[in-house]
Each structure stands twice: as structure tokens, then as C-alpha cells.
Amino acid sequence: MNPYGITLTLVVFYAFSELHRRKKAVYTNPVLLSIVAISLLLRLGEFSYSSYMESAVFLKFLLGPAVVSLAVPVYKNRALIARYSREIAVGIVVGGTTAMLTAYWIAELLGATGTVLRSIAPKSVTTAIAIGISAKIGGIPALTAVLVITTGLLGNAFAPELLDLFRVRDRIARGLATGVSSHGLGTARIITEDELAGAVSGLAMALNGVFTALVLPYLIEIL
């Protein structure tokens, strides 16, 4: 197997991570810059996306263990999380419902069609769950995947800064807001800054995926 995909991904991400370490700013976000840079390099080098993904398949495989590893900080902070279980449950219901409704209504105001509305409603849960929901409620799974990734990128780039701007200091609230709104990519950012917030974010991401999968098929029929 040609390892160029793995090498390219690691080198580009390491370079932008170093840049972000030296210059902490929204515009030096390593995930966002890496996606843009790799896309441009593939385009300029006339490499196909399928061959890139094939050569980077091992990194894709590691996504599974990476998600499972989020259980470690949850376990380490289980006592504190259990103490705030009621607040976390309310936050997931309110936050998850708000994410679905605001996305749907904003797109509706902008004139989106019914199919697009059904594609955008599950955009705040992780990709695998969102694609399944989208197919079930009559959306376009491929469009939903793009919207989910875009939502995650925005959370990865801006979530901590927005929480600081609105003076959200509580670590449980910061993790809850990030996990419910921007799933895994948001969690990947906030866990590097605060383990407790990252643990709550990972838990909120998982629970919001279940909540959205259970509620949205019925909610979409009412809208």
C-alpha cells in the first residue's frame, strides 16, 4: 500500500499544529487549515480523492479507537459527571432540540426545499448517526455528511472562543455545549484544553446522537 496519504496527512497536520502552538488564533486552526491544504495539494497534484483515502485507510481505522478512548476521561471524572447528571440530561434535551429546530427554521427562512430541510436537521450529531437519520426521514445522506462535517469544523475552530465571548466559565456547561452542538470535531478541540470539559463533551456527543435519532423522525412530521 502506498503510504503517501498517511504521510501527507501527518506532515500537514503536524506543521499546522506547530503553527497553532506558536500562534494561538482562530485562523491558525490546524484541522481547518489541514483540510484546505490537503484539498489544494490533491487538486494541484491531480491525485484522486479515492486513492488518497485508500492510502490513508489506517488513519480512518484509528477513528474508531479514538472515539472509544473518549470513555477514559468520562470514567476518570465519573463521580463529578454523576453529580451533574440531571443538568447534563436537561442540557442534551434542550440543546439537541434547539440544534434541530434552529437549523430547520433558518434553512426554511432562506427558502430551502423540503429535502434540504430534512438533510440539515440532523447536522449536529456525529456523521454515522446523522447519515442514518437523514436516510430515514427523506433527506440526502451525502448532503447531510457535508453539513455535519462543516458544523464540526466550525465547532472545532470557534467553540471555545464563543464560550469565552459569552463568559461561559463552568467546565460542565462548556463541555455540554460543545458536544451537543459540534459532536466529535468540537470534542477533539475542547479536550485538548480541559479534560473534564472534553469528557462531558464526549458524553454529550454520544447521548445527543441517541436523542436525535429517537426524536427527529417524529419531530420532522410535525414541522
Side-chain angles (χ1 to χ4, degrees):
M1 179 181 69
N2 190 331
Y4 90 89
I6 295 176
T7 306
L8 176 64
T9 304
L10 294 180
V11 169
V12 170
F13 185 72
Y14 176 77
F16 285 125
S17 295
E18 280 296 299
L19 174 64
H20 186 67
R21 186 178 64 81
R22 297 177 184 180
K23 178 66 177 177
K24 297 278 187 185
V26 170
Y27 57 81
T28 62
N29 181 275
V31 175
L32 185 60
L33 291 179
S34 295
I35 291 175
V36 173
I38 291 173
S39 299
L40 289 174
L41 289 171
L42 292 178
R43 181 75 173 177
L44 294 173
E46 297 184 351
F47 295 107
S48 70
Y49 178 73
S50 58
S51 66
Y52 164 73
M53 282 303 298
E54 184 179 347
S55 62
V57 69
F58 182 67
L59 293 179
K60 185 179 179 183
F61 165 76
L62 291 178
L63 282 175
V67 172
V68 173
S69 70
L70 291 174
V72 176
V74 173
Y75 180 78
K76 288 170 64 177
N77 294 281
R78 62 190 183 282
L80 191 56
I81 291 173
R83 190 186 311 165
Y84 288 96
S85 57
R86 183 181 305 175
E87 290 82 355
I88 291 173
V90 172
I92 288 167
V93 172
V94 174
T97 304
T98 302
M100 290 182 271
L101 290 178
T102 53
Y104 186 97
W105 283 334
I106 290 172
E108 188 175 44
L109 285 174
L110 294 174
T113 64
T115 305
V116 173
L117 294 176
R118 291 169 185 266
S119 303
I120 199 173
K123 54 92 182 157
S124 289
V125 301
T126 192
T127 308
I129 297 176
I131 288 175
I133 297 172
S134 179
K136 183 176 179 59
I137 64 177
I140 305 171
L143 176 59
T144 300
V146 172
L147 294 167
V148 168
I149 293 170
T150 303
T151 301
L153 283 173
L154 291 173
N156 186 280
F158 301 113
E161 286 75 14
L162 283 174
L163 292 168
D164 290 340
L165 179 66
F166 288 100
R167 300 182 179 179
V168 180
R169 310 293 185 204
D170 185 89
R171 299 165 70 195
I172 300 288
R174 289 175 69 88
L176 188 57
T178 304
V180 168
S181 63
S182 53
H183 52 84
L185 283 172
T187 300
R189 166 76 187 283
I190 202 163
I191 202 170
T192 63
E193 302 179 3
D194 184 335
E195 184 183 80
L196 175 59
V200 175
S201 182
L203 179 64
M205 173 187 73
L207 295 178
N208 187 45
V210 175
F211 173 73
T212 302
L214 292 174
V215 170
L216 187 54
Y218 299 100
L219 183 61
I220 206 77
E221 297 300 325
I222 300 172
L223 295 171

